[in-house]
Amino acid sequence: MTTAPITSTLPTATPPASGSSGGPAAWARGAWRTLRRSRRLTIGFAIITAFVLVAAFGPLLSGNPDAFSQDLSQPPSGAHWLGTTQTGQDVFAQLIASTRGSLVVGAAAALLATAVSIVIGIGGGFLGGWADEALSLISNVFLVIPGLPLVIVIASYVKGSSTLATIGVIALTSWAASARVLRAQTLSLRSRDYVQAARLYGERRWRIVLVEILPNEVAIIVSQFIFAVIFAILTQAGLAFLGLDDPSAMTWGNMLYFAQNAEALSGGSWWWFVPPGLCIAVFGAALSLISFGLDEVLDPRLRVHRPRSGRRTRTKGTAR
Amino acid sequence: MRYLLRKLGFYAIAAWMAVTLNFALPRLIPGDPVQLIMARQAQQGPVPPGEKEALAKMLGLGNGNIFVQYWDYLVSTAQLKFGLSVTFFPTPVSSVLNSSVLWTLLLVGVSTVISVVIGITLGTVAGWKRGTWLDSLVPSTTFLAAIPYFWFALLLLYLLTQIWPVFPGNGGYDPGVTIGWNGAFIQSAVQHAALPAITIVLSSVGGWLLGMRNMMVSTLSEDYVSAAEAKGLKSRTVMIGYAARNAVLPSVAGFAISLGFVVSGSLVMEMVFSYPGIGYTLFQAVSNNDYPLMQAVFLVITFAVLSANFLVDMLYGFVDPRTRQAR
């Protein structure tokens, strides 16, 4: 059953059977039901859990990814599940190690970008006036300046220095879009009655932002974070492919870089070139599935089975 | 008029920030950038004479205090003096760019238009037939969008040029033909452009499709669509004239924002296919540590995207009067 491992991914997930009322258990039951309600959400969570588990524990179980052997450019076999590279390294072990590297880069860059976008987006939207003008000007400029050329230029100055630099460069160029979304949402929230009420109570500004506004934007922030992770992993892969990332770091992008440099494809070593790209694609697709699933659950208008749409499809069904 | 001035002001500031960023970057890295760059260039071959001065000038690291340097840099950028290219020494950077811009514009322009038209058409139909088998195919486009572009393109390049040789290999044209407005050259150029164009369309169509589909779904629940249905209009008329017509507006607005991504995608495309456009030039500049060329390519791309954005904004203000009031 595909949904079996899901329970462990939820932060406070306890089996629904432990029927205590209220508190975290009820919350977990609610989350579990939400998860079950959308098939996309379920599949997405299952895949991401698998990747995270591999990233966390895989490197402990698989062999040394840098170890050389006498089997050069061997196709997949029992000894080497995904074959070997030109220099006899095990592709499967490399893939496992790279999963950890790519996930770390993706999550770190996305966290950084989301943090920046929260500060600039919510800060600007809440403060309003002069600060808002300045902050939204900056985010609009970063939005129109094409990202990848900027990343390439910056990365070529700090060429191959460290993974940290790569994370910083990616975060620098990817916060703008979500800052704009968050600003728009904050603008609409700050004039709501409950925020006005909090102001009349004389609550402090930071308290209003943290307690009244931020919790109501969590759904947007999560969805922006998910897309930031996809963007970060894709950008990192692109940078690594151009040789602009630290080549000693183990990531999917660096695997592709070395595979391409060794002309793995034209040499017929597809087992070296195909898996890293496929991993990126599957991981990214699973993240988007989660994001769409969340949208579906949170925004009833996007849900497929509801009375109105039922009417429309039914009428068309009879017409056909 | 105020709308126009406001937009003009914004893009002027954006352009100025891009130039300033270009000026600031070499100063932000630790160490002496000129020495660093010269050392890297020396590893790859002889450094052209006068390179030190040219580099210093190009990077804005001339004499005087920082404000004088900044002013000099602004002036030489405004005069399109980008210095000499290291990769194609002693060709000036500006003429290297001249020969590559047209390739990119044609290929990227045509394939983007194709992608937008296909995406919006399919999105309209998928949103209209929500819940049917066609609509259930939509999530698969997220898989397409999550594929690293260069990986996908290299795979196609390998499959379609080596395993099944349907398309010609790398480059923008057959090296045997002479460049010019003759039949043989145009035919060769089109043949070489086909595969890159297909990869661009395949990798970018999903975004347009999804956006249009979701907009279509929310538009379909509007009252005027129900009213049109209730009047007994043909479903084709309702779909195109009532729903799609209003649902397409955000896609038009999104077009401006997505231009940056389109250009980014084309950069990688050209690197993969060795297509003689501006992205390939950037790639060569990066692999040869050709900083003058690299900075110039960045500025040219940025300015192109900014002007295209400005045009789209103007057009959109014309199409949808509501945006003229909104800030």
Side-chain angles (χ1 to χ4, degrees), chain A residues 235-262:
Chain A
T235 312
Q236 191 275 333
L239 280 181
F241 177 69
L242 295 177
L244 293 174
D245 192 11
D246 179 11
S248 64
M250 272 282 183
T251 60
W252 289 327
N254 275 328
M255 277 186 80
L256 287 172
Y257 171 69
F258 285 116
Q260 177 64 13
N261 269 12

Side-chain angles (χ1 to χ4, degrees), chain A residues 133 156-157 159 273 292, chain B residues 142 151 210 289 294-295 327:
Chain A
E133 288 278 325
S156 67
Y157 279 115
K159 192 176 283 184
F273 187 81
F292 292 132
Chain B
T142 61
W151 178 79
L210 199 72
N289 292 310
M294 204 152 65
Q295 293 207 323
R327 293 192 296 142

Side-chain angles (χ1 to χ4, degrees), chain A residues 22-312:
Chain A
W27 184 86
R29 260 205 309 280
W32 171 249
R33 220 176 295 130
T34 309
L35 198 64
R36 289 287 301 274
R37 214 158 69 196
S38 162
R39 216 174 66 224
R40 294 177 182 177
L41 210 56
T42 319
I43 298 173
F45 259 114
I47 296 174
I48 298 300
T49 312
F51 270 106
V52 170
L53 287 180
V54 166
F57 304 111
L60 304 175
L61 306 175
S62 71
N64 177 12
D66 293 323
F68 299 100
S69 69
Q70 295 303 312
D71 312 329
L72 306 182
S73 300
Q74 290 294 310
S77 64
H80 304 285
W81 287 1
L82 284 174
T84 58
T85 70
Q86 205 182 26
T87 47
Q89 291 156 312
D90 187 57
V91 174
F92 186 70
Q94 286 205 328
L95 196 68
I96 301 277
S98 301
T99 303
R100 177 181 278 185
S102 278
L103 256 56
V104 165
V105 170
L111 270 181
L112 202 57
T114 311
V116 172
S117 71
I118 289 177
V119 170
I120 291 192
I122 298 186
F126 183 75
L127 291 174
W130 181 84
D132 182 35
E133 288 278 325
L135 289 179
S136 69
L137 177 75
I138 294 176
S139 33
N140 282 339
V141 167
F142 265 91
L143 207 56
V144 287
I145 290 180
L148 192 69
L150 182 62
V151 172
I152 291 177
V153 170
I154 300 179
S156 67
Y157 279 115
V158 294
K159 192 176 283 184
S161 53
S162 69
T163 312
L164 232 60
T166 311
I167 292 174
V169 168
I170 296 174
L172 177 74
T173 49
S174 62
W175 57 269
S178 51
R180 214 162 94 137
V181 175
L182 286 176
R183 171 181 174 263
Q185 183 67 13
T186 310
L187 280 184
S188 102
L189 283 181
R190 65 181 279 222
S191 55
R192 300 269 170 96
D193 287 342
Y194 68 91
V195 179
Q196 301 284 15
R199 285 195 181 183
L200 287 178
Y201 269 147
E203 283 192 24
R204 310 221 165 164
R205 275 185 179 174
W206 60 265
R207 206 185 129 77
I208 298 180
V209 169
L210 287 184
V211 178
E212 313 287 352
I213 292 186
L214 201 60
N216 284 303
E217 299 191 0
V218 164
I220 301 179
I221 293 173
V222 167
S223 133
Q224 298 292 340
F225 174 76
I226 288 175
F227 281 111
V229 174
I230 302 177
F231 180 83
I233 287 183
L234 282 177
T235 312
Q236 191 275 333
L239 280 181
F241 177 69
L242 295 177
L244 293 174
D245 192 11
D246 179 11
S248 64
M250 272 282 183
T251 60
W252 289 327
N254 275 328
M255 277 186 80
L256 287 172
Y257 171 69
F258 285 116
Q260 177 64 13
N261 269 12
E263 305 198 337
L265 261 189
S266 24
S269 308
W270 54 267
W271 54 85
W272 186 7
F273 187 81
V274 171
L278 215 55
C279 278
I280 297 177
V282 170
F283 186 76
L287 279 176
S288 345
L289 277 182
I290 291 182
S291 168
F292 292 132
L294 281 179
D295 277 353
E296 223 170 58
V297 171
L298 299 176
D299 182 359
R301 294 209 301 173
L302 286 174
R303 229 173 276 156
V304 174
H305 300 294
R306 59 192 190 104
R308 283 182 63 97
S309 74
R311 174 184 56 85
R312 188 167 283 123

